[in-house]
């Protein structure tokens, strides 16, 4: 299909207009100029086409050639994705370093998956089997914790004529041959899939299980279901990136895809250096062994930034189709939107709000809809949970990207610069955040907590809300004027904030809280509140209760007691209740 | 290289832009020489090119150009500058030509000023402490080698003094090598530039520095290439000559204004406050040139200075900068009014890489907890100061009054220091403990008992 050949007419930044290219398709991959820079068709008009180029266009001249590839921008899906770090159009950065040194030069062509490396393939099919797209041909142990299931490409079906014996093969070796309506098709361990086309599945399923992240405010207050979509908006310095890193590190998904989209180079370096050291809480293996990194840092070409989120989500869908739960973090979707804006400006399109193109909202919608829990074509169940960071200018949540994103996500973790400046981390605001997945995951939590999760959670939220109202009152009349029961509310709210909502990502114990520990901690704080309320109704002054020395310790249990010893938290809680009872029996 | 044709078809001049027709063989972003009617030669670059037509941005401005007798020569290469370590100790204009009357520096290599993006896989994580001798920075918002840490300032505040103090005093304790300083002036005033030059000369730092000066009355378009020329030299020195380079860029606000001006002349769709939509990427192509590379000895540390228009931290210039840089040091008008130098407000300031550059083996084991305790105590003292303004100091408890005393002492003794006072980290930390000793011991909740036992000395 190689063929359509034309010439450059005009160059403006990353946008190139080609002429004499009638027949080029929308979103077709093209090679531009004598260095064959990679680009994608974004507009077709008569016999000319507009191309966004994924590399720096310095020195390109009108008249240089433009070559069509006959296929859309696609990614390679097969063994060798995990532990890799790729650029926005899936070129491995490690290989680029070997080819061009420490700085990225242009016109590099290198396959995404290693061609030399051999994988130990174990067939799952027999000769004569009838197969259809999405079924598992065989498996490869890609990393010690991950079984890579090599899939029949979604658009292939027929009868197996040949399947390779168990043994070591490269991704270029034919491991299966299927004969069907389209004739005989040779299959390798990898196949290609266009990034802008969602991979097919049988049907969508309702989310039912929470994605456990080990982060208390998320799991307990604003849970996300496996297959859900979440936005994390926050101004600079509010901890978006640390939150994304924490989620990538501790989420109980089998595969993590992390897209660094237009962010700092050193942040990707931090992930590259820390993830091989951090251990997965379940398997004890390095987190890197289940992670794919996509890096288009802020100084890399802007149009590849636009492509990077699609590259990432397609890879995530591929792992989903193997029947795994996948979590994908895109940090930051605002940079992607800005890339859209920049290209749109160069195309001289009519802008909508703040210069963003009018299709911003539909692009965001299409992207977030690629999250979901599905029945796969292979018959299993898999999910993609999408967590998108948003960087609103000036921390203003009324800007277009945040506003439109809110329409397509059902969970919203609002990072708050006021909390961040108090060094309250994670700086997720409990009053403005929400999750519509609470109802879906309730039964999961109820099984764990003897049906008490919902009521305890609501009670804690109630106290925090009340604290916020009381703060207004205090500003007017001072805290001494409050009734005793409300002084207690303030104290319990403080315990909730300091002993539960705050979580230290750098503390070895606190960084990950198991669901059991989360609930026991919450219970301990609320038990104190109940016992103390009872005492107050019997006439014990709140100041007596607030002065209890154990409270300081209660606020630190999150760091002092690890996930294995949560019964000590329960014991501590009982001791506090007993102590309060003692106070009640003293006569005033 | 083949001799390039000269073209005469200038059809339109608008702001800094010249539109040329009838051209051929012109590449995007290549360098251009413009010859005016009276023989003066200016330089520019191609911003947009289509068949037979090119848009050229003229660095020196278009004053005096006409459509009739201007000729244009396309040089077939992007803007390159010569680089060598001979360039230290010299003063250049905004496009890298010497203006100190000295000889042309010896050239070791020619480099494209736009540079290339550093491969994230090749980066090494910055984690070496830089001692600036300023307590507010070393103690609270530590600078790390390879970091980009901007000063967010306002008009009339002493950011230039602070920047020169950092340039003069920055060292790595225990290492012989000092920093090579590259100082980049963008649109600053003549007397400011003179101040910098003088203070570099007086301290003897000039021999290890290069100054790139684009002043307020120099053409704004030139301002867009000034930081790129300087950073090209910085990359050469850091990654070819194993030097540790500190780059001071002042003032990024003027740079952004120049960017807006050219964008408007090109009739581009503006985003916030008229700045172009690609300002984030453009800033990143400057700031991301800081860093370290695995296996290389040198490093580039950046300290950009920007003046926040109307002291507004949410303005696009500081806002986009904050999203790219690794923290910020905020200079505060109120502290300045009260005579505190350096008037660094530690509360909105942040160094994202601090955690990796301090602690045992790097600075001192108690550094992290002490900084955290100072931060929270100072935040508390500021709250109480507001409260006492309403209800009076008598309404406060004894503990609260201790916090007020702490707050005052912190500003007057810990933050305040002289322009030429170079404090070692030991001095900074012992001052920090003196401040903390003004508080009751029970308030030191963020510091473990063994440090309290070792350093806490209440009067």
């Amino acid at each position: 299909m190689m063929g359509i050949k034309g010439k450059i007419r005009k160059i403006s930044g990353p946008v190139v207009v080609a002429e004499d290219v009638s027949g080029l398709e929308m979103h077709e991959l093209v090679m531009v100029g004598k260095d064959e820079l990679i680009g994608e068709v974004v507009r077709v008009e008569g016999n000319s086409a507009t191309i966004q180029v994924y590399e720096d266009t310095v020195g390109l001249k009108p008249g240089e050639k433009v070559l069509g590839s006959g296929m859309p921008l696609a990614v390679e899906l097969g063994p060798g994705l995990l532990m890799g770090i790729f650029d926005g159009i899936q070129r491995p950065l490690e290989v680029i370093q070997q080819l061009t040194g420490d700085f990225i030069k242009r016109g590099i062509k290198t396959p995404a998956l290693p061609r030399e490396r051999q994988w130990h393939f174990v067939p799952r099919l027999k000769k004569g089997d009838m197969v259809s797209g999405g079924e598992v041909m065989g498996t490869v142990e890609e990393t010690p914790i991950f079984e890579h299931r090599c899939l029949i490409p979604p658009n292939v079906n027929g009868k197996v004529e040949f399947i390779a014996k168990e043994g070591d093969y490269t991704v270029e070796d034919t491991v299966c041959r299927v004969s069907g309506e389209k004739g005989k098709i040779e299959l390798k361990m990898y196949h290609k899939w266009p990034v802008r086309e969602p991979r097919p599945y049988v049907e969508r399923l309702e989310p039912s299980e929470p994605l456990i992240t080990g982060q208390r405010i998320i799991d307990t207050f604003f849970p996300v279901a496996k297959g859900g979509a979440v936005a994390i908006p926050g101004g600079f310095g509010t901890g978006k990136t640390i939150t994304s890193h924490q989620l990538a590190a501790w989420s109980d998904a089998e595969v993590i895809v992390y897209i660094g989209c237009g962010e700092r180079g050193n942040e990707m370096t931090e992930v590259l250096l820390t993830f091989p050291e951090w251990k997965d809480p379940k398997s004890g293996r390095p987190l890197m062994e289940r992670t794919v990194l996509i890096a288009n840092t802020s100084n890399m070409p802007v149009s590849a930034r636009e492509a990077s989120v699609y590259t990432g989500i397609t890879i995530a869908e591929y792992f989903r189709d193997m029947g795994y739960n996948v979590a994908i973090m895109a940090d930051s979707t605002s940079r992607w939107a800005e890339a859209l804006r920049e290209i749109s400006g160069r195309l001289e399109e009519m802008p909508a709000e703040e210069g963003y193109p009018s299709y911003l909202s539909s692009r965001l919608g299409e992207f977030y809809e690629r999250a979901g829990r599905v029945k796969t074509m292979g018959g299993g169940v898999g999910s993609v949970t999408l967590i998108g960071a948003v960087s609103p200018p000036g921390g203003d949540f009324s800007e277009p990207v945040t506003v439109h994103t809110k329409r397509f996500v059902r969970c919203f973790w609002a990072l708050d610069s006021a909390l961040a400046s108090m060094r309250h981390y994670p700086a997720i605001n409990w009053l403005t955040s929400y999750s519509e997945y609470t109802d879906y995951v309730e039964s999961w939590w109820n099984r764990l907590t003897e049906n008490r999760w919902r009521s305890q959670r609501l009670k804690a939220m109630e106290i925090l809300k009340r604290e916020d109202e009381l703060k207004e009152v205090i500003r007017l009349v001072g805290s001494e004027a409050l009734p005793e029961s409300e002084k207690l509310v303030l104290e319990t709210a403080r315990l909730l904030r300091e002993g539960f909502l705050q979580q230290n990502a750098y503390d070895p114990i606190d960084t990950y809280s198991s669901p059991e520990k989360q609930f026991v901690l919450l219970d301990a704080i609320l038990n104190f509140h109940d016992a103390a309320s009872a005492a107050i109704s019997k006439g014990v002054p709140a100041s007596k209760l607030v002065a209890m020395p154990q409270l300081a310790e209660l606020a630190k249990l999150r760091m002092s007691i690890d996930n294995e010893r949560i019964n000590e938290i329960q014991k501590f809680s009982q001791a506090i209740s007993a102590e309060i009872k003692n106070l009640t029996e003293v006569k005033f | 290289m083949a001799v390039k044709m000269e073209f005469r078809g200038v059809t339109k001049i608008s702001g800094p832009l010249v539109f040329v027709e009838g051209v051929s063989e012109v590449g995007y972003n290549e360098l251009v020489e413009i010859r005016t009617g009276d023989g003066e030669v200016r330089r520019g670059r191609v911003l947009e090119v289509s068949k037979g037509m090119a848009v050229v941005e003229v660095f020196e401005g278009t004053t005096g150009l006409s459509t009739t007798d201007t000729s244009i020569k396309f040089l077939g290469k992007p803007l390159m500058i010569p680089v060598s370590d001979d360039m230290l100790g010299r003063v250049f204009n905004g496009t890298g030509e010497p203006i100190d009357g000295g000889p042309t520096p010896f050239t070791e290599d020619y480099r494209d000023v736009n540079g290339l993006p550093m491969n994230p896989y090749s980066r090494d994580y910055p984690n070496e402490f830089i001692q600036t001798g300023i307590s507010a920075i070393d103690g609270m918002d530590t600078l790390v080698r390879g970091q980009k840490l901007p000063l967010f300032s306002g008009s009339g505040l002493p950011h230039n003094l602070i920047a020169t103090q950092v340039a003069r005093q920055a060292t790595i304790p225990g290492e012989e090598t000092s920093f090579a300083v590259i100082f980049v002036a963008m649109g600053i005033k003549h007397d400011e530039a003179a101040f910098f030059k003088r203070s570099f000369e007086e301290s003897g730092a000039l021999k290890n520095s290069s100054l790139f000066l684009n002043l307020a009355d120099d053409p704004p378009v030139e301002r867009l290439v000034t930081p790129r020329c300087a950073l090209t030299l910085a990359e050469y020195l850091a990654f070819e000559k194993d030097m540790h380079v500190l780059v001071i860029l002042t003032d990024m606000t003027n740079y952004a204004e120049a960017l807006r001006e050219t964008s408007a002349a090109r009739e581009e769709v503006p985003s916030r406050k008229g700045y172009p939509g690609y300002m984030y990427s453009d800033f990143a192509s400057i700031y991301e040139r800081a860093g370290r590379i695995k296996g290389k000895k040198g490093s580039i540390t950046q300290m950009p200075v920007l003046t926040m228009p109307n002291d507004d931290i949410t303005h696009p210039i500081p806002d986009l900068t904050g999203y790219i840089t690794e923290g910020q040091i905020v200079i505060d008008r109120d502290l300045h009014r009260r005579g505190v130098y350096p008037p660094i407000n530690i509360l909105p300031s942040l160094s994202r890489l601090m955690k990796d550059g301090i602690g045992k083996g790097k600075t001192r084991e108690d550094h992290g907890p002490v900084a955290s305790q100072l931060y929270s105590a100072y935040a508390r003292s500021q709250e109480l100061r507001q409260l006492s303004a309403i209800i009076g100091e008598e309404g406060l408890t004894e503990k609260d009054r201790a916090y007020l005393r702490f707050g005052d002492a912190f500003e007057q003794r810990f933050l305040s220091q002289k322009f030429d006072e170079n404090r070692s980290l030991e001095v900074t930390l012992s001052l920090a403990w003196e401040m903390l000793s003004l508080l009751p011991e029970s308030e030191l909740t963020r510091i473990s008992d063994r440090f309290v036992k070792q350093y806490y000395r209440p009067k």
Side-chain angles (χ1 to χ4, degrees):
Chain A
M1 271 284 294
M2 282 292 281
I4 293 160
K5 211 171 163 180
K7 285 195 302 242
I8 298 178
R9 187 171 72 205
K10 178 184 164 186
I11 304 127
S12 167
V15 170
V16 165
V17 179
E19 60 185 5
D20 299 336
V21 287
S22 58
L24 266 191
E25 288 169 14
M26 195 65 180
H27 293 139
E28 182 170 338
L29 187 73
V30 288
M31 264 66 82
V32 178
K34 61 177 190 315
D35 289 336
E36 305 207 332
L37 308 180
I38 294 169
E40 189 182 3
V41 177
V42 291
R43 182 193 280 167
V44 183
E45 227 174 342
N47 73 345
S48 73
T50 307
I51 296 157
Q52 61 176 359
V53 179
Y54 291 131
E55 297 178 79
D56 195 353
T57 50
V58 172
L60 274 188
K61 291 175 183 162
E64 285 186 33
K65 66 178 179 181
V66 172
L67 280 178
S69 69
M71 50 183 264
L73 179 67
V75 286
E76 291 186 355
L77 301 168
L81 287 169
L82 292 180
M83 301 182 74
I85 175 164
F86 302 94
D87 76 355
I89 48 174
Q90 213 204 5
R91 290 179 301 191
L93 288 170
E94 192 179 349
V95 178
I96 292 180
Q97 185 204 31
Q98 289 155 12
L99 292 175
T100 75
D102 298 324
F103 293 87
I104 301 173
K105 300 205 175 81
R106 301 186 300 159
I108 298 161
K109 275 177 212 67
T110 170
L113 301 176
R115 289 300 190 263
E116 308 296 314
R117 179 155 176 194
Q118 298 215 321
W119 302 97
H120 190 77
F121 178 78
V122 182
R124 282 258 187 107
L125 299 173
K126 292 188 307 290
K127 198 175 161 182
D129 283 352
M130 290 302 292
V131 291
S132 58
E135 280 184 46
V136 181
M137 302 192 269
T139 59
V140 160
E141 193 189 88
E142 189 173 348
T143 68
I145 49 171
F146 190 78
E147 181 192 72
H148 191 109
R149 298 171 187 154
C150 300
L151 302 179
I152 306 260
N155 42 15
V156 171
N157 47 45
K159 192 166 159 190
V160 176
E161 282 200 338
F162 161 78
I163 177 87
K165 285 200 283 289
E166 181 175 342
D168 295 342
Y169 302 93
T170 69
V171 289
E172 284 287 12
D173 292 328
T174 299
V175 290
C176 183
R177 190 165 59 240
V178 173
S179 106
E181 291 160 20
K182 296 176 194 162
K184 289 184 184 176
I185 299 173
E186 309 247 310
L187 299 178
K188 298 169 181 177
M189 274 189 270
Y190 81 102
H191 63 268
K192 289 193 171 186
W193 191 263
V195 295
R196 296 192 194 271
E197 196 178 317
R199 286 174 63 89
Y201 47 83
V202 177
E203 62 172 328
R204 277 192 184 251
L205 305 171
E206 279 219 321
S208 63
E209 206 181 289
L211 181 81
I212 294 299
T213 65
Q215 311 304 304
R216 288 182 295 268
I217 183 162
I218 292 175
D219 292 348
T220 300
F221 286 108
F222 308 107
V224 56
K226 287 188 173 127
V230 197
I232 322 181
F236 69 81
T238 52
K240 265 191 317 300
T241 301
I242 292 185
T243 310
S244 299
H245 283 190
Q246 284 294 95
L247 294 171
W250 305 117
S251 294
D252 68 338
E254 279 109 0
V255 179
I256 303 289
V257 180
Y258 191 96
I259 312 171
C261 177
E263 293 287 302
R264 303 176 183 94
N266 279 333
E267 284 172 2
M268 294 316 291
T269 311
E270 191 180 5
V271 175
L272 277 173
L273 293 179
T274 53
F275 275 32
E277 279 169 26
W278 290 3
K279 302 283 185 281
D280 175 32
K282 272 184 294 188
S283 63
R285 299 287 309 176
L287 290 167
M288 202 60 202
E289 292 183 355
R290 58 164 196 174
T291 308
V292 184
L293 296 174
I294 315 274
N296 179 283
T297 56
S298 54
N299 54 342
M300 285 158 80
V302 68
S303 34
R305 191 172 309 160
E306 199 268 328
S308 65
V309 296
Y310 292 101
T311 299
I313 192 87
T314 310
I315 291 172
E317 285 176 341
Y318 171 66
F319 285 111
R320 172 202 73 190
D321 290 348
M322 295 179 200
Y324 290 117
N325 293 308
V326 185
I328 173 168
M329 287 89 204
D331 182 16
S332 151
T333 58
S334 293
R335 306 297 164 227
W336 166 50
E338 283 162 11
L340 274 183
R341 174 168 72 185
E342 185 171 339
I343 310 272
S344 165
R346 305 263 188 194
L347 296 176
E348 293 171 4
E349 291 170 339
M350 180 73 98
E353 298 153 274
E354 292 191 16
Y356 286 104
S358 52
Y359 47 79
L360 171 69
S361 147
S362 57
R363 290 283 169 87
L364 284 169
E366 282 161 22
F367 175 64
Y368 280 103
E369 273 309 281
R370 290 177 76 168
R373 185 166 165 267
V374 303
K375 189 170 168 207
T376 66
M377 292 180 72
V381 172
S383 69
V384 171
T385 311
L386 206 170
I387 297 156
V390 183
S391 320
D396 168 17
F397 288 0
S398 68
E399 59 90 37
V401 182
T402 315
V403 168
H404 290 300
T405 300
K406 262 182 140 169
R407 293 165 50 207
F408 304 112
V409 297
R410 301 182 64 191
C411 187
F412 191 76
W413 299 329
L415 295 175
D416 188 335
S417 52
L419 287 175
S421 72
M422 287 190 274
R423 301 293 196 259
H424 173 116
Y425 291 117
I428 298 175
N429 184 316
W430 48 92
L431 298 169
T432 50
S433 300
Y434 59 81
S435 168
E436 292 176 40
Y437 296 110
T438 316
D439 294 339
Y440 293 98
V441 303
E442 189 183 321
S443 58
W444 186 94
W445 274 99
N446 278 344
R447 278 199 296 280
L448 196 78
T449 60
E450 296 160 340
N451 291 326
R452 294 173 56 236
W453 184 69
R454 188 190 181 94
S455 56
Q456 290 293 75
R457 182 180 165 276
L458 285 177
K459 196 157 145 193
M461 283 297 268
E462 195 54 47
I463 291 170
L464 289 167
K465 253 184 231 146
R466 187 74 194 127
E467 182 202 28
D468 191 56
E469 292 159 9
L470 289 175
K471 271 193 193 150
E472 294 293 316
V473 180
I474 294 170
R475 239 165 255 152
L476 296 174
V477 299
S479 57
E480 280 311 302
L482 294 177
E484 295 299 292
S485 63
E486 304 208 313
K487 284 182 194 158
L488 176 66
V489 167
L490 291 180
E491 179 63 11
T492 311
R494 185 189 70 83
L495 288 171
L496 282 171
R497 282 188 283 109
E498 292 179 10
F500 189 83
L501 298 177
Q502 282 189 25
Q503 191 162 356
N504 185 346
Y506 301 111
D507 182 279
I509 292 176
D510 202 26
T511 185
Y512 176 82
S513 237
S514 69
E516 291 84 359
K517 178 176 165 184
Q518 297 187 20
F519 189 73
V520 172
L521 261 183
L522 184 68
D523 227 18
I525 295 170
L526 293 175
N527 281 348
F528 158 77
H529 185 74
D530 291 345
S533 296
I536 281 174
S537 64
K538 288 190 185 138
V540 181
S543 57
K544 263 276 191 294
L545 295 159
V546 171
M548 283 171 60
Q550 290 95 330
L551 295 187
E553 208 169 321
L554 180 59
K556 282 186 185 164
L557 289 179
R558 64 187 170 98
M559 289 187 275
S560 55
I561 297 184
D562 63 33
N563 294 317
E564 274 69 48
R565 297 182 296 142
I566 55 174
N567 56 336
E568 291 179 28
I569 299 177
Q570 283 161 323
K571 268 188 223 148
F572 189 84
S573 170
Q574 285 154 7
I576 289 186
S577 301
E579 176 68 25
I580 292 175
K581 215 158 178 205
N582 279 342
L583 284 177
T584 318
E585 277 149 19
V586 179
K587 290 278 172 282
F588 290 96
Chain B
M1 188 170 296
V3 178
K4 283 280 179 170
M5 289 234 319
E6 285 206 17
F7 296 97
R8 289 202 147 257
V10 173
T11 54
K12 180 176 155 188
I13 301 169
S14 158
L17 306 184
V18 169
F19 296 75
V20 200
E21 273 184 9
V23 298
S24 62
E25 280 296 296
V26 172
Y28 175 69
N29 218 354
E30 78 177 48
L31 191 64
V32 176
E33 267 181 22
I34 301 111
R35 195 178 297 274
T36 63
D38 47 14
E40 187 198 340
V41 175
R42 298 183 194 179
R43 292 196 295 173
R45 63 172 172 180
V46 177
L47 280 188
E48 189 174 306
V49 55
S50 52
K51 234 163 124 187
M53 161 89 177
V55 181
V56 175
E57 178 180 75
V58 186
F59 299 145
E60 288 90 347
T62 48
T63 313
L65 295 188
S66 73
T67 51
T68 47
D69 48 5
T70 301
S71 68
I72 308 257
K73 190 154 108 190
F74 294 92
L75 300 180
K77 55 173 193 197
L79 180 59
M80 314 263 270
I81 62 160
V83 288
S84 71
D85 45 11
D86 205 24
M87 290 171 78
L88 288 173
R90 303 292 303 272
V91 184
F92 303 90
N93 71 5
T95 51
E97 290 160 351
I99 51 167
D100 53 1
T104 312
F106 177 70
T107 300
E108 285 166 15
D109 198 3
Y110 276 94
R111 297 248 166 142
D112 178 355
V113 299
N114 295 302
L116 290 166
M118 205 186 278
N119 190 330
Y121 189 79
S122 294
R123 278 185 188 267
D124 202 1
Y125 199 67
N127 58 7
E128 293 161 306
F129 167 68
I130 295 177
Q131 182 177 301
T132 65
I134 298 175
S135 293
I137 298 177
D138 293 349
M140 307 299 296
D141 295 290
T142 313
L143 181 65
V144 172
R145 200 142 77 176
Q147 185 176 15
K148 36 195 181 298
L149 187 63
L151 294 178
F152 281 13
S153 185
S155 313
L157 296 179
H159 42 268
N160 289 338
L161 270 182
I162 299 173
T164 41
Q165 190 171 2
V166 170
R168 207 175 51 234
Q169 297 180 171
T171 48
I172 307 272
E175 273 187 33
E176 294 295 305
T177 52
S178 64
F179 282 88
V181 177
I182 296 187
F183 177 82
V184 190
M186 291 168 286
I188 64 170
K189 297 176 64 60
H190 277 269
D191 42 0
E192 284 177 287
F195 162 78
F196 279 115
K197 233 155 108 181
R198 199 178 58 241
S199 69
F200 276 84
E201 273 163 10
E202 278 169 6
S203 66
L206 187 65
K207 64 179 191 312
N208 217 11
S209 315
S210 292
L211 275 59
F212 287 76
L213 304 178
N214 165 284
L215 302 179
D217 54 354
D218 285 334
V221 182
E222 186 186 285
R223 212 160 286 160
L224 301 180
V225 294
T226 307
R228 296 188 163 82
C229 291
L231 285 163
T232 305
L233 175 62
E235 279 172 359
Y236 178 79
L237 296 177
F239 303 127
E240 303 292 329
K241 296 284 167 184
D242 295 339
M243 291 186 193
H244 294 292
V245 186
L246 175 67
V247 184
I248 294 178
L249 301 148
T250 180
D251 171 335
M252 286 304 289
T253 304
N254 298 334
Y255 174 87
E257 296 300 333
L259 200 64
R260 176 163 71 175
E261 197 177 321
T262 1
S263 168
R266 294 169 68 182
E267 298 175 2
E268 290 171 334
V269 178
S271 70
R272 276 176 79 210
K273 298 207 172 175
Y275 294 96
Y278 50 80
M279 190 154 87
Y280 178 83
S281 305
D282 192 277
F283 275 6
S285 70
I286 293 174
Y287 297 143
E288 280 287 324
R289 288 172 86 171
R292 292 172 59 204
I293 290 180
K294 279 183 226 158
K296 300 255 165 123
K297 286 204 193 104
S299 65
I300 300 179
T301 308
Q302 277 188 19
M303 186 168 268
V305 177
L306 59 86
T307 44
M308 299 182 280
N310 205 16
D311 293 350
D312 175 12
I313 201 168
T314 67
H315 185 281
I317 297 170
D319 190 53
L320 294 180
T321 298
Y323 274 119
I324 306 166
T325 54
E326 284 133 354
Q328 66 276 339
I329 290 176
V330 180
I331 301 178
D332 188 79
R333 199 169 292 279
D334 185 46
L335 282 172
H336 179 61
R337 271 192 208 119
R338 284 190 277 134
V340 175
Y341 174 87
I344 294 172
N345 185 351
I346 59 157
L347 297 178
S349 299
L350 170 76
S351 165
R352 289 168 189 267
L353 302 182
M354 177 174 179
K355 64 182 188 334
D356 304 289
I358 61 166
K360 206 175 174 179
K362 287 176 177 155
T363 56
R364 212 168 78 179
E365 214 180 341
D366 58 326
H367 190 167
V370 164
S372 166
Q373 188 71 59
L374 284 174
Y375 183 91
S376 84
Y378 184 64
R380 178 89 186 116
S381 76
Q382 294 303 96
E383 275 171 36
L384 288 167
R385 190 177 283 169
Q386 278 180 1
L387 191 66
S388 77
I390 302 168
I391 61 171
E393 213 168 301
E394 304 74 43
L396 299 178
T397 63
E398 177 47 38
K399 193 168 81 185
D400 291 347
R401 282 201 289 273
Y403 268 105
L404 284 184
R405 283 196 298 277
F406 164 86
D408 291 339
F410 182 80
E411 288 173 1
Q412 298 306 328
R413 292 173 51 207
F414 183 84
L415 288 186
S416 293
Q417 63 187 86
K418 293 208 187 70
F419 171 60
D420 52 5
E421 184 179 353
N422 190 352
R423 288 186 190 156
S424 71
L425 184 78
E426 280 299 316
V427 172
T428 293
L429 286 180
S430 67
L431 257 176
W433 275 103
E434 250 179 68
M435 302 299 111
L436 291 176
S437 300
L438 296 170
L439 297 172
E441 190 177 340
S442 60
E443 292 301 298
L444 305 187
T445 52
R446 299 191 179 196
I447 305 179
S448 72
D449 293 342
R450 90 191 145 94
F451 296 136
V452 174
K453 213 169 268 164
Q454 196 175 347
Y455 298 108
Y456 180 69
R457 298 282 176 274
K459 292 242 166 68

